[in-house]
Amino acid sequence: MNKENGVLDIKKIRKISLLNIIWQWETILLFIFIMVAIINSNLSPYFLDYTNLMNTTFNFIEKAIIALPMIFVIICGDIDISVASIIALSSVFMGMASQAGVNTFGLVAMGLFAGSAAGFLNGFIITKFGIPAIAVTLGSMSLFRGIAYVILGDKAFTKYPPSFAFFGQGYIGNTMIPFELILFFILAIIFGIILHKTTIGRRVFAIGNNSTAARFSGIPVNRIRLIIFTVTGLCSGLASILLTSRIGSTRPNIAYGWELEIITTVVLGGVAITGGKGNIFGVVISIFIIGFLKFGMGLINVPGKVMTIIIGLLLILAIMLPELLKRLKPKNSFENVKK
Amino acid sequence: MNNCIIEMKEIKKYFYGVKALDGVDFKVRTGEVHALIGENGAGKSTLVKILTGVYQPTAGTIILNDKPVQFPSPQISQKAGISAIHQEATMFPDLSVMENIFMGHHIRNKSNGLLSWREMKDKTQILLDKLELDIRPDTKVNNLSVAQRHMVEIAKALSLDAKVVIMDEPTSALTLKEVEYLYKIIRKLKSEGKAIIFISHKFEEVFEIADYFTVLRDGKYIGEGTIADITVDKIVQMVIGRSLEQMYPKLEAEQGNIILKVENLTKIGVFKNISFDLHKGEILGFFGLVGAGRSEVMQTIFGIDTKTSGEVFIDGEKVYIANPSDAMNLGLAYLPEDRQIQGAILAMNIRENITLPIIDRTSRHIFLDRNKEFEITDEYGKYIEIKASGWEQLVEDLSGGNQQKVVLAKWIATKPRILIMDEPTKGIDVATKATVHNFISELAKKGIAIILISSELPEILGMSNNVIVMHEGVITAKFTREEANSKKIIRAAIGSISK
Amino acid sequence: MKDLFRKREFNLFIFILFIIFGVSWRTPSFLYINNFVDILNDTAILSMVAIGQLMIIVTGGIDLSVGSSLALSGMSVALLNQYHPGIPIFMIILISIAIGLLLGSINGLLVSRAKIPPIITTLGTMSIYRGLVFVLCGGTWVSAHEMTEAFRVFPRRSFLGISSLIYLSILIVILFLIFLNLTRTGREIYGVGGNKIASQYVGINLKKIQYIVFTLCGGITGLAGFLWVARYAAAQSETAIGFELQTIAACVIGGVSITGGSGTIIGVVLGAFFMGIVYNALTMINVSPFWQMAIQGFIILFAIIINTVMDKRNQQLMLRKRSFNE
């Protein structure tokens, strides 16, 4: 009877259910993470070893560093499947520079520049011509890696200066904590603050939820998207530096297929593929779930190709899960109030 | 009833507890043009969507040829001989005219089951000939004008052998000549025994073409009768339910200097040579039919679209507005027409919506300050009387009227000197409408210059100090409040006087 | 039937003639009939699968899993042939198609029932199917000498100088020309892609259409899987890797709108042929095969940009035309 009451009820229920969803998703992720850890440590005594755990992060931190800007890309409602090719492109440019005798500092600058330039090109074509990001990055994915093939053919760059090895192989002091890992955490905090605590983040969410209304509200939608694609390229360049430094060589098929795992990580972390929703914390957990899952499978000698089956299944299940949960719930009290 | 083809009884439709239709009766006979009249939000479209199977009624019965029926899907309603020409675009732009007509019921060759394009083409040609349309069946719909698309929709209804044809605001985008032509077609259909439901809020049209009418107001059945036995005044009374004076706050116009001057603004193919002045404290009404180019002019001024040529002056100085953010810095605000797509971000909460354009002002450097956002939201939310349980409520959970208030609050919070409002009361309930009208007057009193775009004549007449009328991208007339009356304005809007 | 050969396709056709002319100027042997038959043979599989991709893109979707499903069905029948050489070739073909249909229908179910966006669904199944290929073969090859003679030579068997591969691709083109242009379901595919709301008003079942296009694309891909491993006389876990990009490229070059609603089979076939000619010409003028991928990427980007710019210009022209009509 009392309208105010009705509204209040809705509000209460929504708050609870919203909290529930966030909680549920993150709890589910944490739960999965713990499960993975327990199963792994039961399967192999080597899993819970401090040095092993630290060293295994080498295998996924480079991907994780691209996952961070990818959160922004996907929240904006776009997608970038060219990131792995950007790694190849940056790596090839660093290799060429290294052959020419450029020092470590120059190589890093080259890697970052090549990555940003590639990302900028993506963003420029997408925003300038109004073409869907999927179509553009599909083309540039092939173009960037193709350029790597043109330059390298079936050869490889293997000559890098010794000091270059630190980025992908170094540890902080005597701690056995990889430099990469620390770098990732610093970046995760920066990206997290930008996404959740600044006006930029608010604008990104606004664009992802309704880009027309965002534009009508004075938000420079295309400029922000362009910057995000450029930063994604920059981070891919950074990942390329770490990866090239770690394996000490460049082949044109470097990081092949990584885009799949990066997108899977982001989506599993609770970022809506349709845009407008997501948070850093979920993605960070999901990075470690996938990383440790693969580490565990490696310990029991599961071949890499089989792991991709599991990653693929995870991707599909991660997206189906919210829908399934909705269907399994008998009747949401909130919906009843709404009707 | 003897020759009732359709009888809808006690139809109710609730959306989330809001009564869109509350016990409506509606009867249509064969061979009549039946006008369904009411303001925006009166429930006309909802009733039509129930009849065409898009919505399911909450309660009530539909009787077709003396038999109770149900329309669980649009297709079943179509098969029963009911065909609607919808307001929104329901065409396939990349496909041909004949394909648009036959989509969903393509003609198949009896012998091999494959589609018979030749037969479809012939039939389309016959339909087009009947409608005296000079287009080819294989022309892509993309290449047709709005009026021609309407005609194709009519042809589609005919191809389905419809007994009942529903036309939802069919004239809104047509030129006078095209309207005349449409009338001719309607009379022809009528003479063939078809029933036509004609939805319009333009009384002139209703008196011209309809035989019978039903009036809805606020989702309720108000009355019906034959057109021949009623006067315009009486119908207006039924539609509005009160007199104009009651509805619109009287203005004490105290106009200041010219604040906005637009000179020869042109965007090729959309509008041309738009010039007008706007004073401080003035409410300048923009009237025109849908598609007259009013929103496009305003969006160009606001920096959303680009102009081809022309100039804009603010406070006598020439300004260059490349994007909405430039416009906002100059003190402009634009309340867009489509609040769900252009106005509000439904999946975000009230606080986030209201502070979106002024996020730089509510933050410390680039860091969000939720307390300050809350303060501002509280200030404007209370000022505009948004009814919500709290400022963290998502906008999608609010009623249409309150969503509109959120958008209004969002733009007033930018402290504009010039406020452009595009159909600010479209589709909201009467009570909220009155509140919005009060605010418009109050804002004008404070010296804010206001442009009010509206397709509702009473609103334009009741609110504006001056009225500009547009037709097909050009200004066809300008009136002061004293000069303006509905006849003059309508005539200018349908283009029957050339400047 | 008139827009079977729209302006866009015509432009592409002229462009192809232009390239042929240019290349043959430098390398006259490019013009030999045999070379053209080679190009047709090389593009036959691509054209078929690109037709499957076309149907999906027209509905507004995309299928990134075609390369993997092609490899999976190809590997399955190659192994079947290796361990049961007695199975007749037409059974092999049917089984290959059936596996493809199954894989496609899994995509279709995930998209239409579980409502997962096509790009994500097929990104996932792309790696699942690829992983399964590895599981099946355990990382080893099925090579020429492990296949039966009948299996290996099937695509090459020729009649009147033209291989069965080309005949099959022509058959697929004709079948799908009929399907897309002369059946209700075929036209409804265009309806769904053109305007989802309008297609619901006229009673088109969106879920059904989505399921059908993914399944049919799977079926074609299955057939292509057999043809591929037989033609190259090898099946391995890397078979047809990156092939999905080529099919999408053929569509985009052929004028298919990436946002759905429009695109024709003729355009796609021309698109595939165009790519075949470009690759062939590159070899002819002695460009390293390592250029292929970069050129493919460049062509995709170029084609999308040109198509978008042309569409926008057409709209502008329409507006102008209308304003002059006043």
Side-chain angles (χ1 to χ4, degrees):
Chain A
M1 339 291 108
N2 192 336
K3 229 179 181 175
E4 285 299 314
N5 272 341
V7 174
L8 260 170
D9 283 352
I10 291 177
K11 143 95 177 176
K12 250 187 216 159
I13 291 158
R14 167 163 276 281
K15 204 168 184 186
I16 294 164
S17 69
L18 205 75
L19 249 166
N20 274 349
I21 290 169
I22 293 172
W23 258 112
Q24 273 174 11
W25 192 249
E26 244 113 85
T27 345
I28 288 173
L29 285 177
L30 269 175
F31 180 72
I32 297 176
F33 178 70
I34 293 166
M35 287 274 287
V36 169
I38 291 175
I39 293 172
N40 279 350
S41 54
N42 277 333
L43 282 176
S44 164
Y46 303 110
F47 178 75
L48 277 180
D49 180 77
Y50 174 71
T51 319
N52 274 349
L53 275 183
M54 281 301 156
N55 282 340
T56 192
T57 60
F58 282 116
N59 294 317
F60 58 84
I61 286 303
E62 289 129 12
K63 288 170 198 150
I65 282 173
I66 304 177
L68 295 173
M70 189 67 88
I71 299 172
F72 283 70
V73 171
I74 295 182
I75 287 180
C76 264
D78 289 317
I79 198 154
D80 186 345
I81 56 173
S82 72
V83 284
S85 298
I86 297 181
I87 293 185
L89 188 70
S90 304
S91 188
V92 165
F93 276 102
M94 284 188 289
M96 285 204 301
S98 181
Q99 301 294 40
V102 174
N103 65 11
T104 298
F105 178 77
L107 293 185
V108 170
M110 175 57 105
L112 294 179
F113 173 77
S116 321
F120 178 83
L121 182 72
N122 279 336
F124 179 78
I125 298 177
I126 290 164
T127 54
K128 171 82 186 174
F129 298 104
I131 305 171
I134 167 79
V136 172
T137 56
L138 202 68
S140 63
M141 172 185 181
S142 174
L143 178 66
F144 296 153
R145 195 175 289 281
I147 293 174
Y149 271 106
V150 168
I151 293 172
L152 265 176
D154 49 5
K155 294 194 295 293
F157 291 127
T158 50
K159 197 183 94 149
Y160 286 99
S163 61
F164 186 64
F166 170 77
F167 301 103
Q169 299 174 23
Y171 297 91
I172 301 294
N174 301 321
T175 53
M176 288 307 287
I177 300 173
F179 166 74
E180 285 193 8
L181 187 62
I182 296 296
L183 183 65
F184 165 71
F185 277 120
I186 294 170
L187 286 176
I189 290 166
I190 294 174
F191 276 91
I193 288 174
I194 292 175
L195 185 62
H196 297 297
K197 299 281 172 201
T198 70
T199 57
I200 303 166
R202 177 69 59 75
R203 289 181 168 128
V204 168
F205 278 110
I207 292 171
N209 275 308
N210 182 342
S211 66
T212 309
R215 193 162 59 96
F216 275 61
S217 303
I219 296 175
V221 175
N222 277 342
R223 205 193 311 154
I224 290 179
R225 288 169 73 209
L226 177 61
I227 292 171
I228 289 177
F229 276 101
T230 311
V231 171
T232 307
L234 178 76
C235 288
S236 307
L238 180 60
S240 180
I241 295 170
L242 301 176
L243 178 63
T244 311
S245 153
R246 181 159 64 87
I247 58 181
S249 68
T250 300
R251 275 172 227 284
N253 66 349
I254 187 172
Y256 191 88
W258 277 23
E259 65 281 347
L260 169 72
E261 209 176 309
I262 292 165
I263 292 167
T264 306
T265 309
V266 173
V267 173
L268 182 67
V271 177
I273 194 72
T274 44
K277 214 184 100 205
N279 76 59
I280 291 266
F281 188 51
V283 176
V284 171
I285 303 177
S286 117
I287 285 168
F288 283 91
I289 289 179
I290 294 184
F292 285 158
L293 188 65
K294 287 181 79 173
F295 176 47
M297 287 193 287
L299 285 176
I300 54 169
N301 296 321
V302 175
K305 284 271 161 56
V306 178
M307 286 187 203
T308 64
I309 300 182
I310 291 167
I311 304 296
L313 281 174
L314 256 180
L315 173 65
I316 288 173
L317 287 177
I319 298 190
M320 271 170 77
L321 206 57
E323 191 74 14
L324 280 178
L325 284 177
K326 226 189 276 169
R327 270 188 217 177
L328 286 178
K329 268 186 197 166
K331 268 280 171 191
N332 193 328
S333 49
F334 170 56
E335 274 178 6
N336 284 341
V337 174
K338 239 186 166 180
K339 263 153 201 161
Chain B
M1 284 280 155
N2 39 4
N3 54 351
C4 265
I5 179 156
I6 282 182
E7 205 175 340
M8 298 174 86
K9 277 186 187 161
E10 280 292 307
I11 298 289
K12 292 182 180 169
K13 176 69 187 173
Y14 299 166
F15 293 105
Y16 305 124
V18 177
K19 292 174 182 176
L21 289 177
D22 193 10
V24 169
D25 291 330
F26 186 55
K27 296 189 280 283
V28 184
R29 292 158 200 83
T30 49
E32 89 175 357
V33 178
H34 192 132
L36 183 57
I37 312 171
E39 287 189 287
N40 286 329
K44 297 169 296 182
S45 293
T46 312
L47 191 68
V48 166
K49 283 190 170 151
I50 287 174
L51 193 53
T52 52
V54 177
Y55 291 161
Q56 300 310 309
T58 312
T61 45
I62 304 173
I63 296 166
L64 179 74
N65 291 324
D66 300 326
K67 275 177 237 123
V69 286
Q70 278 182 332
F71 298 138
S73 81
Q75 224 186 0
I76 291 175
S77 163
Q78 261 177 21
K79 280 211 178 107
I82 297 166
S83 211
I85 294 150
H86 290 277
Q87 243 174 325
E88 65 258 67
T90 55
M91 311 215 78
F92 304 96
D94 282 320
L95 301 179
S96 67
V97 168
M98 64 175 155
E99 181 118 46
N100 265 278
I101 289 175
F102 285 102
M103 183 61 81
H105 61 282
H106 286 95
I107 299 175
R108 279 185 286 210
N109 201 320
K110 281 187 190 70
S111 54
N112 58 16
L114 295 177
L115 301 184
S116 170
W117 286 107
R118 179 172 300 163
E119 200 180 335
M120 283 188 264
K121 191 170 181 176
D122 291 345
K123 285 216 166 147
T124 306
Q125 195 61 57
I126 291 169
L127 288 170
L128 294 176
D129 288 346
K130 187 172 171 189
L131 297 174
E132 295 167 36
L133 266 179
D134 187 23
I135 49 179
R136 289 208 321 274
D138 46 18
T139 310
K140 266 211 226 165
V141 165
N142 248 345
N143 301 338
L144 300 181
S145 72
V146 179
Q148 285 172 323
R149 290 181 196 202
H150 263 292
M151 291 303 157
V152 173
E153 292 252 33
I154 294 175
K156 182 175 182 173
L158 296 181
S159 82
L160 288 163
D161 200 24
K163 310 278 186 304
V164 181
V165 180
I166 303 167
M167 298 186 184
D168 197 350
E169 302 278 358
T171 60
S172 54
L174 303 189
T175 64
L176 192 60
K177 221 167 127 192
E178 288 164 343
V179 171
E180 284 301 327
Y181 168 67
L182 178 72
Y183 287 166
K184 206 168 112 188
I185 301 297
I186 291 177
R187 290 193 183 102
K188 202 166 175 177
L189 296 179
K190 186 173 124 182
S191 70
E192 289 169 11
K194 300 202 188 298
I196 289 135
I197 301 174
F198 188 86
I199 299 174
S200 178
H201 55 238
K202 293 176 201 143
F203 304 124
E204 299 75 11
E205 286 178 9
V206 168
F207 278 85
E208 166 94 35
I209 190 76
D211 309 307
Y212 204 84
F213 70 89
T214 299
V215 175
L216 301 184
R217 188 172 74 226
D218 302 335
K220 291 191 183 75
Y221 167 87
I222 300 299
E224 62 187 293
T226 45
I227 290 290
D229 302 336
I230 193 128
T231 62
V232 179
D233 290 343
K234 271 224 170 111
I235 286 200
V236 171
Q237 195 93 45
M238 289 171 87
V239 169
I240 300 176
R242 64 211 152 264
S243 64
L244 284 181
E245 275 84 68
Q246 263 178 292
M247 242 186 114
Y248 299 99
K250 262 261 186 278
L251 285 162
E252 306 115 62
E254 247 180 72
Q255 294 181 23
N257 302 328
I258 294 181
I259 181 164
L260 173 75
K261 188 178 184 68
V262 174
E263 268 184 8
N264 291 322
L265 199 66
T266 299
K267 184 178 172 71
I268 285 189
V270 185
F271 54 81
K272 65 181 176 198
N273 295 334
I274 303 296
S275 304
F276 63 88
D277 295 339
L278 177 68
H279 301 78
K280 273 184 188 164
E282 177 184 358
I283 298 178
L284 177 60
F286 262 77
F287 187 80
L289 306 178
V290 175
R294 296 166 299 164
S295 301
E296 288 81 356
V297 169
M298 297 312 156
Q299 290 179 9
T300 305
I301 294 175
F302 196 61
I304 292 166
D305 279 339
T306 49
K307 62 184 183 192
T308 313
S309 63
E311 273 136 27
V312 176
F313 300 86
I314 288 179
D315 291 329
E317 262 176 66
K318 193 164 161 183
V319 292
Y320 300 91
I321 299 173
N323 52 51
S325 137
D326 287 353
M328 281 159 54
N329 289 336
L330 289 163
L332 279 156
Y334 173 66
L335 181 87
E337 177 183 1
D338 189 330
R339 70 171 166 263
Q340 301 216 336
I341 292 174
Q342 303 165 332
I345 296 180
L346 297 178
M348 290 174 99
N349 65 35
I350 298 173
R351 169 177 56 80
E352 289 166 333
N353 265 282
I354 289 182
T355 55
L356 194 59
I358 50 163
I359 192 75
D360 283 328
R361 264 188 259 160
T362 62
S363 58
R364 276 169 288 124
H365 307 295
I366 60 162
F367 296 102
L368 297 172
D369 181 347
R370 292 198 163 77
N371 290 331
K372 196 156 181 202
E373 286 174 23
F374 188 86
E375 272 168 37
I376 289 195
T377 307
D378 201 47
E379 182 189 340
Y380 287 95
K382 278 184 179 149
Y383 174 58
I384 301 195
E385 298 166 13
I386 298 170
K387 284 201 189 72
S389 56
W391 305 135
E392 302 297 304
Q393 197 175 359
L394 296 188
V395 174
E396 63 191 359
D397 292 338
L398 299 174
S399 71
N402 276 305
Q403 287 179 357
Q404 183 69 339
K405 283 182 180 173
V406 169
V407 183
L408 191 59
K410 161 175 143 177
W411 286 112
I412 292 178
T414 65
K415 297 189 180 143
R417 294 187 299 152
I418 302 162
L419 176 60
I420 304 169
M421 306 172 106
D422 199 343
E423 306 281 2
T425 61
K426 187 179 167 186
I428 59 180
D429 57 286
V430 181
T432 315
K433 227 176 198 173
T435 329
V436 171
H437 287 146
N438 275 323
F439 276 114
I440 298 177
S441 292
E442 216 169 290
L443 292 171
K445 227 173 172 180
K446 283 184 182 169
I448 296 176
I450 291 171
I451 293 176
L452 173 68
I453 297 181
S454 176
S455 298
E456 283 181 51
L457 203 46
E459 186 169 277
I460 287 282
L461 286 169
M463 297 297 302
S464 326
N465 300 107
N466 292 294
V467 181
I468 288 179
V469 186
M470 282 183 70
H471 170 70
E472 294 200 336
V474 291
I475 292 179
T476 46
K478 292 183 183 180
F479 304 104
T480 62
R481 186 182 177 85
E482 289 71 37
E483 290 168 349
N485 66 40
S486 46
K487 240 185 207 142
K488 283 189 199 165
I489 291 181
I490 290 281
R491 209 168 281 154
I494 57 182
S496 62
I497 50 164
S498 53
K499 202 154 179 192
Chain C
M1 290 302 259
K2 245 202 181 142
D3 38 17
L4 208 69
F5 211 69
R6 298 172 308 168
K7 212 172 164 192
R8 230 181 230 179
E9 278 86 50
F10 185 71
N11 289 343
L12 180 59
F13 185 65
I14 298 294
F15 198 54
I16 289 176
L17 287 182
F18 188 72
I19 289 186
I20 292 175
F21 181 71
V23 177
S24 53
W25 199 341
R26 229 184 110 173
T27 325
S29 66
F30 184 75
L31 271 181
Y32 293 171
I33 279 288
N34 278 346
N35 191 39
F36 275 92
V37 173
D38 281 350
I39 295 176
L40 281 180
N41 271 316
D42 287 340
T43 52
I45 294 178
L46 177 59
S47 325
M48 292 171 161
V49 182
I51 288 170
Q53 186 74 265
L54 160 81
M55 293 189 290
I56 293 174
I57 295 181
V58 164
T59 63
I62 199 156
D63 190 345
L64 299 179
S65 74
V66 287
S68 300
S69 16
L70 188 150
L72 186 51
S73 53
M75 176 60 78
S76 311
V77 291
L79 288 169
L80 198 63
N81 179 253
Q82 184 185 351
Y83 292 105
H84 303 279
I87 298 176
I89 207 71
F90 78 91
M91 274 303 290
I92 292 277
I93 295 178
L94 287 183
I95 291 168
S96 193
I97 294 175
I99 293 171
L101 285 171
L102 176 71
L103 299 177
S105 75
I106 292 173
N107 285 337
L109 282 177
L110 287 170
V111 170
S112 65
R113 296 286 157 182
K115 298 200 185 95
I116 306 176
I119 167 141
I120 294 301
T121 301
T122 56
L123 202 60
T125 54
M126 170 170 95
S127 60
I128 296 174
Y129 297 165
R130 180 64 65 186
L132 287 176
V133 179
F134 179 85
V135 172
L136 267 186
C137 68
T140 58
W141 288 50
V142 180
S143 50
H145 65 272
E146 287 155 335
M147 298 173 182
T148 60
E149 174 82 9
F151 187 92
R152 244 181 319 119
V153 300
F154 179 83
R156 263 179 288 256
R157 251 197 221 144
S158 71
F159 177 70
L160 297 176
I162 291 174
S163 67
S164 62
L165 185 59
I166 295 177
Y167 283 119
L168 266 178
S169 67
I170 291 172
L171 179 70
I172 292 282
V173 168
I174 291 172
L175 274 180
F176 280 89
L177 269 176
I178 292 172
F179 174 65
L180 281 182
N181 292 296
L182 293 176
T183 71
R184 278 191 186 176
T185 311
R187 295 319 296 172
E188 286 174 1
I189 290 173
Y190 285 91
V192 164
N195 188 337
K196 284 208 168 62
I197 294 170
S199 58
Q200 271 166 345
Y201 276 145
V202 296
I204 298 174
N205 186 340
L206 174 66
K207 284 182 187 170
K208 189 184 100 186
I209 296 291
Q210 281 180 327
Y211 179 74
I212 286 175
V213 290
F214 276 99
T215 309
L216 284 177
C217 177
I220 300 176
T221 311
L223 173 64
F226 158 69
L227 293 172
W228 185 295
V229 295
R231 173 155 199 260
Y232 297 105
Q236 43 145 331
S237 58
E238 307 281 294
T239 295
I241 214 160
F243 184 61
E244 58 281 348
L245 283 185
Q246 288 183 31
T247 62
I248 295 164
C251 288
V252 173
I253 296 165
V256 179
S257 158
I258 198 78
T259 47
S262 75
T264 63
I265 287 190
I266 299 296
V268 167
V269 171
L270 280 176
F273 189 63
F274 175 80
M275 289 177 60
I277 286 215
V278 170
Y279 294 155
N280 185 280
L282 287 176
T283 357
M284 281 291 192
I285 55 177
N286 286 324
V287 173
S288 135
F290 290 117
W291 279 81
Q292 266 200 16
M293 196 184 230
I295 286 173
Q296 173 185 305
F298 180 77
I299 293 174
I300 295 179
L301 286 178
F302 187 74
I304 305 177
I305 293 174
I306 289 288
N307 286 347
T308 315
V309 171
M310 295 279 265
D311 279 356
K312 279 192 185 146
R313 237 191 47 174
N314 280 345
Q315 273 171 13
Q316 293 266 308
L317 281 179
M318 283 304 304
L319 275 176
R320 265 161 218 251
K321 220 164 99 192
R322 250 179 238 157
S323 71
F324 285 130
N325 280 346
E326 271 175 28

